[in-house]
Amino acid sequence: MSDRYPRDSENYGYDPNGGYDDRTRAYGRQDAYGAPGGQPYAPQKQGPSSAGLKFDVGPFVGGVVATAITTFIAGWVATAIVQAVYNRTGTSVFWMYGLTDPWIAGVYGALAAVLAGAFMLLLFQAVPSPSTFFSWIAGLVVVAIIVLPFLAAGAITAAFGSAIVNGLMGFVIVALLSTTAAKTYHGRR
């Protein structure tokens, strides 16, 4: 049987000056700051090569497309439900998405999601805290699209229906794009 640490044949692990020479004592000792190779750890300075955009393009584009699809479905379903309630109660109103076609709301919502994704991409490259700016700007736009039907609609029932659909689609866009940004952008928050 071979020994990992060859022993001095005369001393058999004992220090000639007295005491036991425990060769495992080096296992508990760590180098400066735990750096390998005995070199102290020094953080690397960020130069022009490492200060670029840290952004996963493929997953971001996929997230924007998925947000557009989800917003389309949410707008279509919400508009169909509001139309069904209007028809059930005998309220016949013409509102901003047309009299009987819920697809138009879904298309507008999907288009808004793609535009919001493009705006978020612009913010990633232009401002110091893109997530904060996107949340504020998108939140204010959602408030505006909820209030706008009350200012523009002829009937209050049409305004309520439009505000519900607009608010739902705006919430879906802001929530999903914020999550997409958090998962795909690794730069300034």
Side-chain angles (χ1 to χ4, degrees):
M1 180 162 114
S2 70
D3 193 2
R4 283 181 103 173
Y5 299 104
R7 294 183 180 159
D8 185 14
S9 61
E10 295 178 8
N11 297 330
Y12 296 104
Y14 288 98
D15 188 4
N17 297 330
Y20 183 72
D21 182 20
D22 183 13
R23 295 182 188 265
T24 62
R25 71 184 181 282
Y27 292 138
R29 184 177 55 218
Q30 294 184 0
D31 295 327
Y33 303 107
Q39 299 295 324
Y41 173 76
Q44 296 180 2
K45 295 178 183 177
Q46 288 189 348
S49 62
S50 63
L53 186 64
K54 297 172 181 84
F55 178 65
D56 298 330
V57 176
F60 179 77
V61 171
V64 171
V65 170
T67 300
I69 292 169
T70 305
T71 306
F72 173 82
I73 294 169
W76 177 72
V77 168
T79 305
I81 290 171
V82 170
Q83 286 287 8
V85 169
Y86 283 168
N87 292 338
R88 178 92 169 149
T89 60
T91 308
S92 177
V93 294
F94 182 80
W95 54 311
M96 67 186 291
Y97 296 119
L99 186 58
T100 59
D101 194 8
W103 294 99
I104 296 174
V107 170
Y108 287 154
L111 181 63
V114 170
L115 290 175
F119 180 67
M120 181 175 276
L121 183 61
L122 175 71
L123 289 177
F124 282 156
Q125 297 178 10
V127 298
S129 182
S131 297
T132 303
F133 282 102
F134 179 78
S135 297
W136 272 97
I137 292 169
L140 292 172
V141 168
V142 170
V143 168
I145 64 169
I146 290 173
V147 172
L148 185 63
F150 291 103
L151 302 175
I156 195 74
T157 54
F160 276 118
S162 296
I164 290 169
V165 173
N166 291 349
L168 175 68
M169 288 190 300
F171 174 75
V172 168
I173 291 170
V174 171
L176 292 180
L177 285 182
S178 295
T179 303
T180 298
K183 299 292 183 182
T184 59
Y185 181 67
H186 309 292
R188 305 171 306 273
R189 292 284 170 193

